Amino acid sequence: MLDTSRGDPPVPTDEQRGCLFALSQPPLMIFLGVIGCLLLIAAMHDLYLL
């Protein structure tokens, strides 16, 4: 049977997961790196080849 009793509330941890936690994720950093490289390539193309 399911335990539906109200026990002690969970103790909050000291570790806060904010923006820096999100930026430490490898897939997000790879995505942002690719977007940054594409913007850099587009800017260099506009500055030097047009």
Side-chain angles (χ1 to χ4, degrees):
M1 183 173 222
L2 228 50
D3 183 19
T4 58
S5 64
R6 302 272 180 176
D8 294 334
V11 178
T13 60
D14 291 337
E15 179 183 352
Q16 296 293 327
R17 293 191 171 196
C19 184
L20 289 179
F21 174 76
L23 286 178
S24 69
Q25 302 304 310
L28 178 63
M29 291 307 295
I30 291 170
F31 173 74
L32 291 176
V34 168
I35 297 299
C37 286
L38 289 175
L39 288 173
L40 181 65
I41 290 169
M44 292 298 152
H45 177 266
D46 286 347
L47 284 173
Y48 295 117
L49 297 177
L50 292 180

